[in-house]
Amino acid sequence: MGENALYLGFKIYTAQGYRPWDVRRLPTLKDFYGKCCQKGIPIMNHCTPGGARSHEDEDFYNFEHPFDDEKEEQEQRKGCDAKKYFEDNFVSPKAWEKVLNATVELKDGAPQSLNRLRLCLAHFGGPKGLEWSQQIIEMITREDNAYPHLYTDISSSFADDGFREYFKKLFTSKPVNEPLVPQSGPPDKKQKKNTPKPLTEEQKKKLRSRILFGTDWYMVFAYGTFNGKNLWDYCTETKSWLDSFDTSLWPYFTQYNPYRFYRLETEVPRIAESIINKMDDEKFLEKFYENEEDEDDNDEESLEDLIRKEAAWIKVANKGQENYEETR
């Protein structure tokens, strides 16, 4: 992620055995988040109650670390069984509030607030239950815009019919004039299934600008609507379905929002130059050409031109759309 690196950001997976703000057990998390926030490096984290755990829930629940604060650990387990303890503290959206509300000290001693961390909570909280989806919405649409670079994506969850019904209602339900109030306590059992809390027009606008398109390939083809289909089907059918009720969503999810979240304005040219600078590295060239039928068709100069043209095209194809947003 440095000046000569080839990557845009980090994908992390806290379900593998650490809490988002597990700074007693993993003090280096403070440096990690601090540097990512300072440099604008994006982080994507798995955010559904399911997923690939590294151990059984009971193992996490019963584990004791010599650096743990006993009172703090007891408080986290209060009223929880092993499953709820793991989900609430290791992978839920609310667990990330501890990170976003924190301030860390950088190596030069300067304080760094983490509220501007570029963070994507993947899968929109998951299709089962939808409480986590609501938590993400509340965090994104806060009136004070406390987390201006908090995003989510529709990968995997969009294969679930119930989630798609819920998602459509987010943008088509009659708006309310009052701001969204964070939910305290369990959801109302009488509330209809898959019915989200209504949003104001301003909240809808903000939410629309913080959602990324995603696939979670290949999992998205393993169940639900897209079972047995292919990537082309997923993309075209998702676009058609979104367009059926709001034609602005697809360009936001696939162009405008990724352009901002990943800072493609500066990162695409940087990565292009990084690739060109590595052209003298024989090992790199082997990897670069391994899918080419005939590498002799590309001399070094023409390949450099091709890389720069591709980078320029990506900038032009996205930036203009952001500046001249279509009105509805």
Side-chain angles (χ1 to χ4, degrees):
M1 264 62 75
E3 184 177 342
N4 298 314
L6 301 176
Y7 300 96
L8 285 170
F10 291 99
K11 168 67 186 287
I12 64 177
Y13 208 101
T14 55
Q16 290 289 298
Y18 57 97
R19 294 167 288 197
W21 191 243
D22 219 347
V23 294
R24 292 186 184 277
R25 299 177 181 179
L26 295 170
T28 54
L29 283 175
K30 289 184 178 180
D31 294 333
F32 172 68
Y33 293 137
K35 189 169 184 178
C36 285
C37 196
Q38 181 190 35
K39 302 289 187 181
I41 298 171
I43 298 171
M44 179 174 287
N45 186 70
H46 172 85
C47 188
T48 76
R53 290 151 160 79
S54 59
H55 296 79
E56 298 296 328
D57 293 342
E58 289 75 13
D59 295 328
F60 290 109
Y61 187 85
N62 296 322
F63 179 73
E64 296 181 2
H65 192 281
F67 294 163
D68 284 347
D69 180 281
E70 185 177 350
K71 185 178 291 186
E72 184 179 291
E73 295 297 322
Q74 288 177 351
E75 186 63 29
Q76 289 186 359
R77 289 164 174 76
K78 190 175 181 180
C80 293
D81 59 16
K83 183 174 183 292
K84 181 172 174 53
Y85 163 75
F86 175 81
E87 292 177 353
D88 286 356
N89 293 285
F90 284 74
V91 284
S92 77
K94 289 295 183 182
W96 280 96
E97 283 192 321
K98 293 182 179 180
V99 177
L100 296 170
N101 291 336
T103 297
V104 298
E105 187 178 290
L106 300 175
K107 289 189 179 297
D108 62 3
Q112 175 67 61
S113 173
L114 299 181
N115 71 302
R116 298 182 68 83
L117 187 69
R118 289 182 179 273
L119 174 66
C120 178
L121 298 178
H123 318 308
F124 219 122
K128 304 302 180 186
L130 303 176
E131 292 89 353
W132 286 15
S133 301
Q134 192 65 48
Q135 288 179 20
I136 291 172
I137 293 168
E138 290 167 3
M139 291 166 69
I140 287 175
T141 61
R142 282 179 52 156
E143 274 195 319
D144 59 0
N145 198 30
Y147 314 128
H149 301 309
L150 176 62
Y151 287 70
T152 187
D153 74 28
I154 60 173
S155 63
S156 186
S157 296
F158 230 56
D160 184 90
D161 290 335
F163 179 85
R164 294 206 298 171
E165 178 187 346
Y166 169 89
F167 188 88
K168 182 177 181 178
K169 289 176 182 177
L170 283 173
F171 291 96
T172 60
S173 60
K174 186 176 180 180
V176 294
N177 296 322
E178 296 78 24
L180 187 66
V181 178
Q183 180 175 300
S184 57
D188 185 354
K189 291 183 179 180
K190 295 181 180 180
Q191 188 180 29
K192 290 183 179 180
K193 186 180 180 181
N194 297 337
T195 300
K197 292 182 180 180
L199 304 175
T200 65
E201 285 299 330
E202 187 61 31
Q203 289 167 338
K204 289 180 182 180
K205 183 178 179 181
K206 185 181 289 187
L207 183 61
R208 180 183 63 175
S209 70
R210 304 282 191 86
I211 298 173
L212 308 177
F213 173 76
T215 63
D216 200 25
W217 183 91
Y218 57 96
M219 291 299 297
V220 75
F221 307 123
Y223 68 96
T225 301
F226 301 102
N227 185 22
K229 297 188 178 183
N230 58 41
L231 187 59
W232 176 259
D233 294 331
Y234 176 78
C235 293
T236 56
E237 291 181 26
T238 297
K239 181 183 185 302
S240 296
W241 185 81
L242 290 171
D243 286 349
S244 71
F245 60 90
D246 190 335
T247 56
S248 75
L249 297 181
W250 179 257
Y252 265 91
F253 298 173
T254 60
Q255 288 183 280
Y256 320 148
N257 300 346
Y259 195 83
R260 286 194 305 272
F261 179 69
Y262 291 110
R263 300 189 304 127
L264 299 185
E265 170 73 14
T266 57
E267 291 301 281
V268 168
R270 179 190 65 76
I271 291 176
E273 292 304 316
S274 294
I275 293 173
I276 291 169
N277 291 337
K278 292 181 182 292
M279 299 300 282
D280 292 331
D281 186 331
E282 291 186 5
K283 290 184 178 180
F284 174 80
L285 285 178
E286 279 182 28
K287 289 291 184 182
F288 193 87
Y289 283 118
E290 65 182 6
N291 294 320
E292 295 284 335
E293 290 184 7
D294 186 359
E295 67 179 72
D296 292 333
D297 290 342
N298 295 306
D299 59 52
E300 186 174 325
E301 184 177 0
S302 63
L303 188 56
E304 289 182 13
D305 291 340
L306 178 62
I307 291 169
R308 290 194 174 104
K309 284 178 182 178
E310 286 292 317
W313 183 87
I314 292 172
K315 287 186 64 174
V316 172
N318 290 278
K319 187 173 176 59
Q321 296 289 342
E322 184 178 10
N323 289 340
Y324 303 102
E325 177 185 335
E326 180 182 359
T327 56
R328 292 184 295 156

